[in-house]
Amino acid sequence: MEDDDLDLMFQEAFKIASDLEEKLPPDVMLRLYAYYKQAVKGDRFTFNDNSDLRNAFKFNAWMQLRGMGVKEAKKEYIKLVNSIIK
C-alpha cells in the first residue's frame, strides 16, 4: 500500500469516526483515541495533568502503543473504524 493511499484512507476513517452518531463503548473510544494519537504523534507523548481521570485513561491507552509505527497505527485505526461501521 502506498503512503499516499494509506494517508487518504486514514483521513477518510477519521472523518467517518468523527461523524458517527452512535455512542461507542468506552474501550472502543480509547482504542480509537490511542491509534489516532500514535498515528499522528508517534511516541512524542504529551499529558495534560489536570487530575482528570478520563484524560489519564486516554493517555494510558496511548502509552500502551509505544513503539508502534505510524503506518501500523494508521492501519489499525482504519481496521477498527471499518469494524465499527459494518
Side-chain angles (χ1 to χ4, degrees):
M1 176 181 303
E2 295 290 322
D3 287 349
D4 290 343
D5 292 340
L6 180 60
D7 289 341
L8 185 58
M9 290 171 64
F10 178 71
Q11 290 169 9
E12 289 171 3
F14 177 74
K15 179 165 179 11
I16 290 167
S18 298
D19 292 343
L20 281 175
E21 292 184 9
E22 70 181 279
K23 186 163 172 60
L24 299 173
D27 64 313
V28 174
M29 291 294 294
L30 282 173
R31 287 183 13 228
L32 282 172
Y33 174 84
Y35 286 133
Y36 178 81
K37 291 296 269 190
Q38 190 67 17
V40 173
K41 298 217 180 243
D43 286 342
R44 295 185 312 274
F45 301 105
T46 55
F47 180 65
N48 181 7
D49 182 20
N50 59 3
S51 300
D52 183 350
L53 187 59
R54 184 172 161 230
N55 282 339
F57 276 111
K58 288 165 59 175
F59 183 72
N60 183 52
W62 181 20
M63 287 284 295
Q64 290 179 26
L65 300 181
R66 172 179 277 169
M68 177 182 278
V70 168
K71 287 181 184 180
E72 185 180 353
K74 287 180 180 182
K75 288 176 185 176
E76 290 300 320
Y77 184 91
I78 294 163
K79 191 186 309 181
L80 181 56
V81 170
N82 286 335
S83 74
I84 293 167
I85 62 174
K86 287 188 175 160

